[in-house]
Amino acid sequence: MKKFLIAAVVGGLLGIVIAPQLAGPLLAKETDQAKTYQQLELFGNIFDRIRAQYVEEVDDEKLIEAAINGMLTSLDPHSSYLSPDDASDMRIQTRGAFGGLGIEVTQEDGFVKVIAPIDDTPAAKAGVEPGDFITHVDGEGLLGLTLDAAVQLMRGPVGSEIVITVVREDEPEPFDITIIRDTIKLTAVRHKTIGQSIVMRVSTFNDQTYPNLEDGIAKQIEAAGGIENINGFVVDLRNNPGGLLNQAIMVSDAFLEKGEIVSTRGRDPETGDRWNARAGDLAQGKPIVVLINGGSASASEIVAGALQDHRRAIVVGTKSFGKGSVQTIMPLAGDGAMRLTTARYYTPSGRSIQALGVSPDIIVEQPRRAIKNEEPEDEVRKIRSEADLRGSLDNDSISEAERAQIDEERALAEETAKLREEDFQLSYAIDLLKGLSAIQPAQ
């Protein structure tokens, strides 16, 4: 009986000690839930007062959409609500054709900041540059508007005119750019051969990116008469604002035989994903130079980071944009959708480039084009060589065919040199590949 009483007393004491420890978290959780319900009740009260007392009649649907979008945009610059029309536009964009100006934008300090203009679009042709801040649209200020509201102001019928006011870092005063809206038809990948280098210009990551890349490489190799006539590849990701994650993985995989491409980590470490390369290299082991700049973002940075970490490519240019987050598009009732940041992505070495960007192995700035003088420039006096001297000896050690080959190689080198005036970074990449091939042993 005494033992039973002692056990009962000890049990009671343990209950006194343990009960607060269990009850504490439960009470805190209930308190948090109560506060949440109070806030929701506050939202309902404000909603009712706006409907009843605002100076003009309001649209309930627009009010709720604005509240939802405000909640999402308060998280980060890339989370947002997509109305049914916006969600439809987004689906069209990933298929490669849509109407508009042709710029990828984000929001910074209350203004719209250009990540990059898309190749061969009205914005690119009008001179919009990465890093430009758009402060006004047709004279209407954007300060205080959400990103979606600002984008809506820039939309309009194809063929209509829009005037955007731009603040640029190197310009002392804001200035206007006039753009004619057009249907944007994206060519995900353009390809050409300069000298012995294949240049793959990847302008976006949509459903057509990898198929275009694979097809373009095959065509250029065939036109060159075989991979043995190619000294390397330039993958140009400048001003590429990103796009679909799966396409970035496929493009990276196109040049890697094995190893990790990218990993993502969300709030719960157990929900992370990892993607690895499969055997097969479209470049067949040839050297690769990747070009990036401040307009290279998101999916572009996945490709550049993966090839750089595996030492499969030399990255040339300037620091990339630094968007290292993953957005998931979640369908909602009523055909709308929610774009929500759900994870950060990491390069194979485990580094996050969020807000840091990918740093090039070789920094090469793109010089701004000098304004041409109206007066014609004096022609540079031609420097005379031995061959120009009267009575100089002929070179009898080479055949006519060998002489023709030397002349052809010299013409190609001169063509590449001319490219420096048009695109210095691309010219540098091609010179780099030529230099690498010059020191490789003959196969």
Side-chain angles (χ1 to χ4, degrees), residues 237 252 256 260-262 290 292 298-313 315 320 345-349 351 353 357-359:
L237 299 175
S252 302
L256 294 172
E260 182 180 310
I261 294 172
V262 67
V290 173
I292 61 171
S298 191
S300 302
E301 296 171 295
I302 290 176
V303 176
L307 298 184
Q308 184 182 55
D309 280 3
H310 283 289
R311 299 190 176 182
R312 182 63 187 92
V315 179
S320 64
Y345 70 74
Y346 297 81
T347 68
S349 64
R351 61 188 168 124
I353 55 86
V358 174
S359 298

Side-chain angles (χ1 to χ4, degrees), residues 130-387:
D132 284 350
F133 282 91
I134 301 174
T135 61
H136 294 74
V137 170
D138 290 330
E140 184 174 344
L142 303 185
L143 186 63
L145 294 182
T146 65
L147 183 60
D148 282 345
V151 169
Q152 285 291 343
L153 284 178
M154 288 186 275
R155 287 179 177 160
V158 171
S160 61
E161 184 179 277
I162 178 175
V163 178
I164 61 173
T165 303
V166 169
V167 173
R168 186 172 292 167
E169 184 178 356
D170 297 333
E171 298 292 337
E173 298 290 337
F175 58 95
D176 291 340
I177 297 178
T178 301
I179 306 174
I180 305 298
R181 297 180 178 94
D182 199 358
T183 300
I184 310 301
K185 295 180 180 178
L186 293 181
T187 301
V189 182
R190 291 180 173 84
H191 49 85
K192 60 184 176 180
T193 298
I194 300 177
Q196 290 184 295
S197 304
I198 293 177
V199 179
M200 306 302 297
R201 167 62 185 152
V202 185
S203 58
T204 189
F205 287 88
N206 61 28
D207 287 340
Q208 301 304 311
T209 301
Y210 179 77
N212 287 174
L213 181 86
E214 184 180 34
D215 182 61
I217 289 176
K219 286 180 177 177
Q220 292 300 320
I221 291 175
E222 182 181 2
I227 193 67
E228 63 274 6
N229 298 321
I230 299 299
N231 65 15
F233 292 77
V234 177
V235 180
D236 188 353
L237 299 175
R238 292 173 298 172
N239 297 336
N240 183 323
L244 300 177
L245 174 63
N246 71 317
Q247 291 293 314
I249 292 167
M250 293 172 72
V251 169
S252 302
D253 194 3
F255 303 110
L256 294 172
E257 292 281 3
K258 61 181 180 179
E260 182 180 310
I261 294 172
V262 67
S263 61
T264 61
R265 302 174 208 167
R267 184 165 62 183
D268 182 357
E270 295 181 1
T271 62
D273 287 309
R274 190 181 305 272
W275 289 268
N276 294 310
R278 298 165 296 177
D281 176 7
L282 295 183
Q284 301 181 44
K286 292 289 183 177
I288 299 172
V289 174
V290 173
L291 282 177
I292 61 171
N293 64 4
S296 307
S298 191
S300 302
E301 296 171 295
I302 290 176
V303 176
L307 298 184
Q308 184 182 55
D309 280 3
H310 283 289
R311 299 190 176 182
R312 182 63 187 92
I314 301 171
V315 179
V316 171
T318 55
K319 183 174 71 70
S320 64
F321 185 75
K323 180 182 176 293
S325 59
V326 179
Q327 283 69 48
T328 302
I329 306 297
M330 303 176 180
L332 299 173
D335 295 328
M338 174 172 64
R339 183 192 288 116
L340 186 66
T341 299
T342 53
R344 289 182 171 88
Y345 70 74
Y346 297 81
T347 68
S349 64
R351 61 188 168 124
S352 168
I353 55 86
Q354 174 61 27
L356 294 176
V358 174
S359 298
D361 298 305
I362 303 174
I363 295 176
V364 178
E365 298 278 352
Q366 183 81 305
R368 287 189 179 273
R369 291 185 182 181
I371 299 174
K372 294 182 179 180
N373 297 325
E374 294 182 4
E375 297 292 330
E377 296 181 357
D378 294 331
E379 292 186 6
V380 179
R381 186 168 58 90
K382 182 182 178 182
I383 299 174
R384 300 181 73 191
S385 68
E386 170 72 14

